[in-house]
Amino acid sequence: MLQSNIFQISADIDWQDLGAGIQRQVFGFDDRIMMVKVKFEKGAIGVLHQHHHTQISYVESGVFEATIAGEDKLLQQGDGFYVPPNAIHGVVCREAGILVDVFSPHREDFL
């Protein structure tokens, strides 16, 4: 079974530069689940996309305009959102911040 270390220490995990003001840090995962931190600069856009994974996201910091299946909502620290499989979704970062994303199953394309 593919899996991460039991403990994830943020200082020991490299940020992957995705370009356009977005960086990603892959945390715990196995074949069934994955947690990822995504850092956005103000104005960065998580372009509309879809995938077969179920996704739940938590706004650790910042302000984000989230679009899910055509519905828009302004979210801030402490808020979150659920993305059903194959729903078209994306975000626009209004104030620099971090999203914590959880996927099931894991995002094989992130490893």
Side-chain angles (χ1 to χ4, degrees):
M1 178 199 293
L2 179 66
Q3 71 180 41
S4 65
N5 294 330
I6 298 298
F7 297 102
Q8 294 86 50
I9 308 303
S10 184
D12 296 338
I13 302 172
D14 290 334
W15 285 93
Q16 303 167 0
D17 187 358
L18 305 179
I22 303 174
Q23 297 179 24
R24 174 172 61 215
Q25 224 181 13
V26 176
F27 272 68
F29 64 89
D30 65 16
D31 292 337
R32 296 165 294 162
I33 194 165
M34 172 182 275
M35 186 171 75
V36 177
K37 286 173 60 175
V38 188
K39 186 185 326 182
F40 290 80
E41 295 175 8
K42 182 177 181 175
I45 298 172
V47 297
L48 290 173
H49 65 286
Q50 68 185 94
H51 44 71
H52 71 273
H53 312 83
T54 298
Q55 176 180 338
I56 298 174
S57 297
Y58 173 77
V59 181
E60 178 180 301
S61 61
V63 176
F64 293 86
E65 183 178 332
T67 301
I68 303 166
E71 185 176 347
D72 299 328
K73 186 68 105 174
L74 195 63
L75 303 171
Q76 58 189 350
Q77 184 177 15
D79 295 338
F81 57 89
Y82 164 77
V83 181
N86 300 308
I88 296 173
H89 62 285
V91 298
V92 176
C93 182
R94 299 299 183 197
E95 291 181 20
I98 293 176
L99 294 178
V100 178
D101 297 335
V102 177
F103 300 98
S104 178
H106 76 277
R107 292 289 304 259
E108 50 286 306
D109 54 322
F110 287 6
L111 299 176

